[in-house]
Amino acid sequence: MNSIDRGAGDLVIDDVSQDFVARDRRVSALQKTTLRIPPGEFVTLVGPSGCGKSTLLNLISGLMAPSEGRVSFDGSIIRGTSRTIGYVTQQDNLFPWRTLRDNVGLSLELTGVPAKERRERVDEWLARVGLDGFGDAYPHELSGGMRQRGNIIRTLIYEPRVILMDEPFGALDAQTRITLQEMLLSIWEGTGRTILFVTHDLTEAIALADRVLLMSSRPGRILRDERVDIARPRDIFLIHHHPEFRRLFDEFWQELRTEVQIAAKKR
Ligand code: ADP
Ligand code: MG
């Protein structure tokens, strides 16, 4: 076993760099990034577009191995994808030819869960996110917010210990987004699961998180790492009035604005 750390259930990014070569040009996407996330923490990551956020998630998910450094979970180096680490992407990847129920139950189907049990578990999850009655619908018959709920529970249903989410609400309108933020928190609270959630929306980052990370423009580095000292359960609709929210927002915004301006010049 590759035991590089003893923190049970910790997600550890250890001195990780990632380079890409595209059309004879080398792009450094991540530079010497180090990060430790203990089990059960809800961490959000904000940063300008193109700074390496998705790259970091891809590395943690096991889709890619880092150019340098190590990524480990629970004391073992992550090698390839597994059910321990779930990944919710920005676009819903629901299969258009499958009903919502069959999309959400896909992972259970692949692991041989019998049809009756599968149906029960899927319908339970559909109800938890307000999609009861839509199990027989096809993705094109659902709104963007409904599809994204399906996309999220499709991963949550197999209960990964770490859940990576890449701008999952980025394409939704503001009201749908708030509703889904609230839904996500209510599902997550008390589960002890780790979430690493990427967003470019600072309000969302602070509202959801135990801890907010700010990433620099490319090559990405963690510039700021702060705890959000606001009690749970939180009222997502009113949290922007909270003094701690305002303090963090102003602090992060100064730096994020600078990084966004730097990133814009690199394009
Ligand atoms: P973000 O998610 O923060 O917007 P990404 O992690 O997607 O940023 O990308 C960071 C940088 O790495 C960008 O410059 C992007 O073009 C580059 N990049 C990402 N993936 C690849 C890849 N597979 N091949 C080449 N370059 C890539
Ligand atoms: Mg991205």
Side-chain angles (χ1 to χ4, degrees), residues 210-235:
D210 293 318
R211 180 177 168 201
V212 181
L213 309 174
L214 173 69
M215 217 161 163
S216 72
S217 65
R218 183 166 53 78
R221 282 166 298 118
I222 310 280
L223 287 181
R224 189 174 273 277
D225 179 347
E226 299 254 4
R227 304 212 66 82
V228 181
D229 197 8
I230 302 177
R232 298 190 189 270
R234 294 179 183 166
D235 185 339

PDB file of all heavy atoms in Angstrom, residues 210-235:
ATOM      1  N   ASP A 210     -17.720  24.912   4.067  1.00  0.00           N
ATOM      2  CA  ASP A 210     -17.025  25.009   5.355  1.00  0.00           C
ATOM      3  C   ASP A 210     -15.731  25.781   5.159  1.00  0.00           C
ATOM      4  O   ASP A 210     -15.182  26.366   6.073  1.00  0.00           O
ATOM      5  CB  ASP A 210     -16.615  23.604   5.848  1.00  0.00           C
ATOM      6  CG  ASP A 210     -17.806  22.750   6.188  1.00  0.00           C
ATOM      7  OD1 ASP A 210     -18.746  23.277   6.803  1.00  0.00           O
ATOM      8  OD2 ASP A 210     -17.799  21.548   5.835  1.00  0.00           O
ATOM      9  N   ARG A 211     -15.252  25.734   3.928  1.00  0.00           N
ATOM     10  CA  ARG A 211     -13.925  26.259   3.633  1.00  0.00           C
ATOM     11  C   ARG A 211     -13.880  26.644   2.164  1.00  0.00           C
ATOM     12  O   ARG A 211     -14.307  25.854   1.315  1.00  0.00           O
ATOM     13  CB  ARG A 211     -12.958  25.115   3.926  1.00  0.00           C
ATOM     14  CG  ARG A 211     -11.535  25.363   3.706  1.00  0.00           C
ATOM     15  CD  ARG A 211     -10.804  24.094   4.136  1.00  0.00           C
ATOM     16  NE  ARG A 211      -9.439  24.104   3.716  1.00  0.00           N
ATOM     17  CZ  ARG A 211      -8.683  23.002   3.593  1.00  0.00           C
ATOM     18  NH1 ARG A 211      -9.187  21.814   3.882  1.00  0.00           N
ATOM     19  NH2 ARG A 211      -7.446  23.095   3.202  1.00  0.00           N
ATOM     20  N   VAL A 212     -13.382  27.860   1.898  1.00  0.00           N
ATOM     21  CA  VAL A 212     -13.318  28.343   0.512  1.00  0.00           C
ATOM     22  C   VAL A 212     -11.854  28.477   0.089  1.00  0.00           C
ATOM     23  O   VAL A 212     -11.039  29.042   0.819  1.00  0.00           O
ATOM     24  CB  VAL A 212     -14.001  29.719   0.359  1.00  0.00           C
ATOM     25  CG1 VAL A 212     -13.950  30.203  -1.090  1.00  0.00           C
ATOM     26  CG2 VAL A 212     -15.442  29.682   0.833  1.00  0.00           C
ATOM     27  N   LEU A 213     -11.548  27.954  -1.086  1.00  0.00           N
ATOM     28  CA  LEU A 213     -10.204  28.090  -1.644  1.00  0.00           C
ATOM     29  C   LEU A 213     -10.260  29.024  -2.844  1.00  0.00           C
ATOM     30  O   LEU A 213     -11.178  28.923  -3.658  1.00  0.00           O
ATOM     31  CB  LEU A 213      -9.685  26.736  -2.130  1.00  0.00           C
ATOM     32  CG  LEU A 213      -9.758  25.558  -1.172  1.00  0.00           C
ATOM     33  CD1 LEU A 213      -9.334  24.275  -1.878  1.00  0.00           C
ATOM     34  CD2 LEU A 213      -8.866  25.815   0.037  1.00  0.00           C
ATOM     35  N   LEU A 214      -9.283  29.906  -2.931  1.00  0.00           N
ATOM     36  CA  LEU A 214      -9.182  30.776  -4.100  1.00  0.00           C
ATOM     37  C   LEU A 214      -7.956  30.370  -4.900  1.00  0.00           C
ATOM     38  O   LEU A 214      -6.856  30.245  -4.354  1.00  0.00           O
ATOM     39  CB  LEU A 214      -9.058  32.243  -3.670  1.00  0.00           C
ATOM     40  CG  LEU A 214      -8.777  33.234  -4.795  1.00  0.00           C
ATOM     41  CD1 LEU A 214      -9.988  33.373  -5.719  1.00  0.00           C
ATOM     42  CD2 LEU A 214      -8.403  34.603  -4.235  1.00  0.00           C
ATOM     43  N   MET A 215      -8.163  30.164  -6.186  1.00  0.00           N
ATOM     44  CA  MET A 215      -7.064  29.755  -7.050  1.00  0.00           C
ATOM     45  C   MET A 215      -6.623  30.926  -7.913  1.00  0.00           C
ATOM     46  O   MET A 215      -7.443  31.731  -8.337  1.00  0.00           O
ATOM     47  CB  MET A 215      -7.553  28.622  -7.940  1.00  0.00           C
ATOM     48  CG  MET A 215      -6.517  27.593  -8.197  1.00  0.00           C
ATOM     49  SD  MET A 215      -7.378  26.119  -8.758  1.00  0.00           S
ATOM     50  CE  MET A 215      -6.013  25.276  -9.444  1.00  0.00           C
ATOM     51  N   SER A 216      -5.321  31.007  -8.169  1.00  0.00           N
ATOM     52  CA  SER A 216      -4.777  32.095  -8.993  1.00  0.00           C
ATOM     53  C   SER A 216      -5.073  31.808 -10.460  1.00  0.00           C
ATOM     54  O   SER A 216      -5.465  30.703 -10.818  1.00  0.00           O
ATOM     55  CB  SER A 216      -3.269  32.159  -8.799  1.00  0.00           C
ATOM     56  OG  SER A 216      -2.671  31.052  -9.441  1.00  0.00           O
ATOM     57  N   SER A 217      -4.828  32.804 -11.304  1.00  0.00           N
ATOM     58  CA  SER A 217      -4.918  32.567 -12.748  1.00  0.00           C
ATOM     59  C   SER A 217      -3.809  31.571 -13.120  1.00  0.00           C
ATOM     60  O   SER A 217      -2.889  31.328 -12.350  1.00  0.00           O
ATOM     61  CB  SER A 217      -4.758  33.877 -13.505  1.00  0.00           C
ATOM     62  OG  SER A 217      -3.473  34.395 -13.297  1.00  0.00           O
ATOM     63  N   ARG A 218      -3.925  30.994 -14.309  1.00  0.00           N
ATOM     64  CA  ARG A 218      -3.011  29.946 -14.762  1.00  0.00           C
ATOM     65  C   ARG A 218      -1.546  30.382 -14.723  1.00  0.00           C
ATOM     66  O   ARG A 218      -1.265  31.492 -15.143  1.00  0.00           O
ATOM     67  CB  ARG A 218      -3.417  29.575 -16.200  1.00  0.00           C
ATOM     68  CG  ARG A 218      -2.658  28.483 -16.842  1.00  0.00           C
ATOM     69  CD  ARG A 218      -3.374  28.012 -18.074  1.00  0.00           C
ATOM     70  NE  ARG A 218      -3.686  29.094 -19.005  1.00  0.00           N
ATOM     71  CZ  ARG A 218      -2.784  29.634 -19.828  1.00  0.00           C
ATOM     72  NH1 ARG A 218      -1.535  29.207 -19.814  1.00  0.00           N
ATOM     73  NH2 ARG A 218      -3.122  30.581 -20.654  1.00  0.00           N
ATOM     74  N   PRO A 219      -0.650  29.530 -14.277  1.00  0.00           N
ATOM     75  CA  PRO A 219      -0.862  28.211 -13.693  1.00  0.00           C
ATOM     76  C   PRO A 219      -1.449  28.310 -12.279  1.00  0.00           C
ATOM     77  O   PRO A 219      -0.979  29.105 -11.461  1.00  0.00           O
ATOM     78  CB  PRO A 219       0.542  27.610 -13.645  1.00  0.00           C
ATOM     79  CG  PRO A 219       1.469  28.775 -13.628  1.00  0.00           C
ATOM     80  CD  PRO A 219       0.787  29.872 -14.365  1.00  0.00           C
ATOM     81  N   GLY A 220      -2.471  27.531 -12.038  1.00  0.00           N
ATOM     82  CA  GLY A 220      -3.220  27.643 -10.790  1.00  0.00           C
ATOM     83  C   GLY A 220      -2.416  27.272  -9.547  1.00  0.00           C
ATOM     84  O   GLY A 220      -1.679  26.288  -9.524  1.00  0.00           O
ATOM     85  N   ARG A 221      -2.576  28.108  -8.549  1.00  0.00           N
ATOM     86  CA  ARG A 221      -2.035  27.837  -7.208  1.00  0.00           C
ATOM     87  C   ARG A 221      -3.118  28.259  -6.228  1.00  0.00           C
ATOM     88  O   ARG A 221      -3.939  29.112  -6.555  1.00  0.00           O
ATOM     89  CB  ARG A 221      -0.792  28.693  -6.929  1.00  0.00           C
ATOM     90  CG  ARG A 221       0.494  28.225  -7.572  1.00  0.00           C
ATOM     91  CD  ARG A 221       1.551  29.307  -7.521  1.00  0.00           C
ATOM     92  NE  ARG A 221       1.119  30.494  -8.282  1.00  0.00           N
ATOM     93  CZ  ARG A 221       0.920  31.706  -7.760  1.00  0.00           C
ATOM     94  NH1 ARG A 221       1.126  31.937  -6.478  1.00  0.00           N
ATOM     95  NH2 ARG A 221       0.506  32.708  -8.520  1.00  0.00           N
ATOM     96  N   ILE A 222      -3.105  27.693  -5.025  1.00  0.00           N
ATOM     97  CA  ILE A 222      -4.089  28.108  -4.031  1.00  0.00           C
ATOM     98  C   ILE A 222      -3.570  29.382  -3.358  1.00  0.00           C
ATOM     99  O   ILE A 222      -2.533  29.370  -2.709  1.00  0.00           O
ATOM    100  CB  ILE A 222      -4.300  27.008  -2.956  1.00  0.00           C
ATOM    101  CG1 ILE A 222      -4.561  25.647  -3.596  1.00  0.00           C
ATOM    102  CG2 ILE A 222      -5.390  27.426  -1.971  1.00  0.00           C
ATOM    103  CD1 ILE A 222      -5.928  25.377  -4.084  1.00  0.00           C
ATOM    104  N   LEU A 223      -4.299  30.483  -3.545  1.00  0.00           N
ATOM    105  CA  LEU A 223      -3.851  31.770  -3.008  1.00  0.00           C
ATOM    106  C   LEU A 223      -4.414  32.035  -1.619  1.00  0.00           C
ATOM    107  O   LEU A 223      -3.831  32.751  -0.813  1.00  0.00           O
ATOM    108  CB  LEU A 223      -4.336  32.911  -3.903  1.00  0.00           C
ATOM    109  CG  LEU A 223      -3.673  33.093  -5.247  1.00  0.00           C
ATOM    110  CD1 LEU A 223      -4.297  34.279  -5.947  1.00  0.00           C
ATOM    111  CD2 LEU A 223      -2.173  33.297  -5.082  1.00  0.00           C
ATOM    112  N   ARG A 224      -5.612  31.517  -1.384  1.00  0.00           N
ATOM    113  CA  ARG A 224      -6.291  31.817  -0.130  1.00  0.00           C
ATOM    114  C   ARG A 224      -7.105  30.594   0.284  1.00  0.00           C
ATOM    115  O   ARG A 224      -7.671  29.915  -0.566  1.00  0.00           O
ATOM    116  CB  ARG A 224      -7.199  33.033  -0.345  1.00  0.00           C
ATOM    117  CG  ARG A 224      -7.816  33.604   0.887  1.00  0.00           C
ATOM    118  CD  ARG A 224      -8.551  34.875   0.553  1.00  0.00           C
ATOM    119  NE  ARG A 224      -7.696  36.044   0.598  1.00  0.00           N
ATOM    120  CZ  ARG A 224      -7.397  36.692   1.721  1.00  0.00           C
ATOM    121  NH1 ARG A 224      -7.872  36.292   2.874  1.00  0.00           N
ATOM    122  NH2 ARG A 224      -6.636  37.759   1.688  1.00  0.00           N
ATOM    123  N   ASP A 225      -7.145  30.340   1.574  1.00  0.00           N
ATOM    124  CA  ASP A 225      -7.817  29.144   2.088  1.00  0.00           C
ATOM    125  C   ASP A 225      -8.441  29.553   3.417  1.00  0.00           C
ATOM    126  O   ASP A 225      -7.747  29.737   4.398  1.00  0.00           O
ATOM    127  CB  ASP A 225      -6.736  28.053   2.262  1.00  0.00           C
ATOM    128  CG  ASP A 225      -7.282  26.751   2.825  1.00  0.00           C
ATOM    129  OD1 ASP A 225      -8.428  26.733   3.312  1.00  0.00           O
ATOM    130  OD2 ASP A 225      -6.540  25.752   2.780  1.00  0.00           O
ATOM    131  N   GLU A 226      -9.774  29.770   3.410  1.00  0.00           N
ATOM    132  CA  GLU A 226     -10.424  30.337   4.604  1.00  0.00           C
ATOM    133  C   GLU A 226     -11.631  29.528   5.039  1.00  0.00           C
ATOM    134  O   GLU A 226     -12.379  29.026   4.210  1.00  0.00           O
ATOM    135  CB  GLU A 226     -10.939  31.753   4.282  1.00  0.00           C
ATOM    136  CG  GLU A 226      -9.878  32.712   3.879  1.00  0.00           C
ATOM    137  CD  GLU A 226      -9.541  33.713   4.958  1.00  0.00           C
ATOM    138  OE1 GLU A 226     -10.087  33.617   6.083  1.00  0.00           O
ATOM    139  OE2 GLU A 226      -8.734  34.602   4.651  1.00  0.00           O
ATOM    140  N   ARG A 227     -11.830  29.483   6.338  1.00  0.00           N
ATOM    141  CA  ARG A 227     -13.013  28.797   6.875  1.00  0.00           C
ATOM    142  C   ARG A 227     -14.209  29.750   6.843  1.00  0.00           C
ATOM    143  O   ARG A 227     -14.062  30.962   7.004  1.00  0.00           O
ATOM    144  CB  ARG A 227     -12.787  28.373   8.324  1.00  0.00           C
ATOM    145  CG  ARG A 227     -11.568  27.499   8.511  1.00  0.00           C
ATOM    146  CD  ARG A 227     -11.771  26.520   9.646  1.00  0.00           C
ATOM    147  NE  ARG A 227     -12.811  25.568   9.299  1.00  0.00           N
ATOM    148  CZ  ARG A 227     -12.599  24.482   8.544  1.00  0.00           C
ATOM    149  NH1 ARG A 227     -11.413  24.204   8.070  1.00  0.00           N
ATOM    150  NH2 ARG A 227     -13.596  23.684   8.269  1.00  0.00           N
ATOM    151  N   VAL A 228     -15.387  29.176   6.642  1.00  0.00           N
ATOM    152  CA  VAL A 228     -16.615  29.969   6.681  1.00  0.00           C
ATOM    153  C   VAL A 228     -17.309  29.674   8.000  1.00  0.00           C
ATOM    154  O   VAL A 228     -17.871  28.603   8.199  1.00  0.00           O
ATOM    155  CB  VAL A 228     -17.552  29.599   5.508  1.00  0.00           C
ATOM    156  CG1 VAL A 228     -18.818  30.453   5.553  1.00  0.00           C
ATOM    157  CG2 VAL A 228     -16.835  29.774   4.181  1.00  0.00           C
ATOM    158  N   ASP A 229     -17.220  30.640   8.901  1.00  0.00           N
ATOM    159  CA  ASP A 229     -17.708  30.424  10.247  1.00  0.00           C
ATOM    160  C   ASP A 229     -19.175  30.854  10.345  1.00  0.00           C
ATOM    161  O   ASP A 229     -19.511  31.817  11.030  1.00  0.00           O
ATOM    162  CB  ASP A 229     -16.811  31.217  11.203  1.00  0.00           C
ATOM    163  CG  ASP A 229     -16.960  30.735  12.628  1.00  0.00           C
ATOM    164  OD1 ASP A 229     -17.624  29.707  12.832  1.00  0.00           O
ATOM    165  OD2 ASP A 229     -16.415  31.414  13.527  1.00  0.00           O
ATOM    166  N   ILE A 230     -20.031  30.148   9.639  1.00  0.00           N
ATOM    167  CA  ILE A 230     -21.474  30.428   9.672  1.00  0.00           C
ATOM    168  C   ILE A 230     -22.173  29.105   9.994  1.00  0.00           C
ATOM    169  O   ILE A 230     -21.908  28.097   9.330  1.00  0.00           O
ATOM    170  CB  ILE A 230     -21.982  30.992   8.321  1.00  0.00           C
ATOM    171  CG1 ILE A 230     -21.216  32.271   7.956  1.00  0.00           C
ATOM    172  CG2 ILE A 230     -23.487  31.242   8.373  1.00  0.00           C
ATOM    173  CD1 ILE A 230     -21.584  32.870   6.605  1.00  0.00           C
ATOM    174  N   ALA A 231     -23.025  29.151  11.038  1.00  0.00           N
ATOM    175  CA  ALA A 231     -23.644  27.913  11.538  1.00  0.00           C
ATOM    176  C   ALA A 231     -24.504  27.228  10.476  1.00  0.00           C
ATOM    177  O   ALA A 231     -24.999  27.871   9.550  1.00  0.00           O
ATOM    178  CB  ALA A 231     -24.484  28.233  12.770  1.00  0.00           C
ATOM    179  N   ARG A 232     -24.649  25.931  10.609  1.00  0.00           N
ATOM    180  CA  ARG A 232     -25.554  25.152   9.772  1.00  0.00           C
ATOM    181  C   ARG A 232     -26.693  24.646  10.646  1.00  0.00           C
ATOM    182  O   ARG A 232     -26.484  24.448  11.830  1.00  0.00           O
ATOM    183  CB  ARG A 232     -24.813  23.953   9.162  1.00  0.00           C
ATOM    184  CG  ARG A 232     -23.665  24.381   8.247  1.00  0.00           C
ATOM    185  CD  ARG A 232     -23.157  23.150   7.501  1.00  0.00           C
ATOM    186  NE  ARG A 232     -21.933  23.419   6.763  1.00  0.00           N
ATOM    187  CZ  ARG A 232     -21.898  23.853   5.496  1.00  0.00           C
ATOM    188  NH1 ARG A 232     -23.013  24.110   4.864  1.00  0.00           N
ATOM    189  NH2 ARG A 232     -20.759  24.034   4.879  1.00  0.00           N
ATOM    190  N   PRO A 233     -27.848  24.353  10.105  1.00  0.00           N
ATOM    191  CA  PRO A 233     -28.218  24.557   8.709  1.00  0.00           C
ATOM    192  C   PRO A 233     -28.325  26.034   8.369  1.00  0.00           C
ATOM    193  O   PRO A 233     -28.720  26.848   9.187  1.00  0.00           O
ATOM    194  CB  PRO A 233     -29.578  23.858   8.584  1.00  0.00           C
ATOM    195  CG  PRO A 233     -30.134  23.819   9.964  1.00  0.00           C
ATOM    196  CD  PRO A 233     -28.958  23.769  10.894  1.00  0.00           C
ATOM    197  N   ARG A 234     -27.953  26.347   7.128  1.00  0.00           N
ATOM    198  CA  ARG A 234     -27.920  27.739   6.698  1.00  0.00           C
ATOM    199  C   ARG A 234     -29.156  28.086   5.885  1.00  0.00           C
ATOM    200  O   ARG A 234     -29.703  27.237   5.197  1.00  0.00           O
ATOM    201  CB  ARG A 234     -26.689  27.970   5.822  1.00  0.00           C
ATOM    202  CG  ARG A 234     -25.404  27.819   6.600  1.00  0.00           C
ATOM    203  CD  ARG A 234     -24.209  28.034   5.694  1.00  0.00           C
ATOM    204  NE  ARG A 234     -22.973  27.805   6.444  1.00  0.00           N
ATOM    205  CZ  ARG A 234     -21.784  27.658   5.885  1.00  0.00           C
ATOM    206  NH1 ARG A 234     -21.664  27.738   4.571  1.00  0.00           N
ATOM    207  NH2 ARG A 234     -20.718  27.457   6.622  1.00  0.00           N
ATOM    208  N   ASP A 235     -29.518  29.345   5.955  1.00  0.00           N
ATOM    209  CA  ASP A 235     -30.608  29.831   5.117  1.00  0.00           C
ATOM    210  C   ASP A 235     -29.993  30.474   3.876  1.00  0.00           C
ATOM    211  O   ASP A 235     -29.539  31.615   3.897  1.00  0.00           O
ATOM    212  CB  ASP A 235     -31.445  30.855   5.895  1.00  0.00           C
ATOM    213  CG  ASP A 235     -32.671  31.286   5.096  1.00  0.00           C
ATOM    214  OD1 ASP A 235     -32.663  31.115   3.851  1.00  0.00           O
ATOM    215  OD2 ASP A 235     -33.622  31.794   5.710  1.00  0.00           O
TER     216      ASP A 235
END
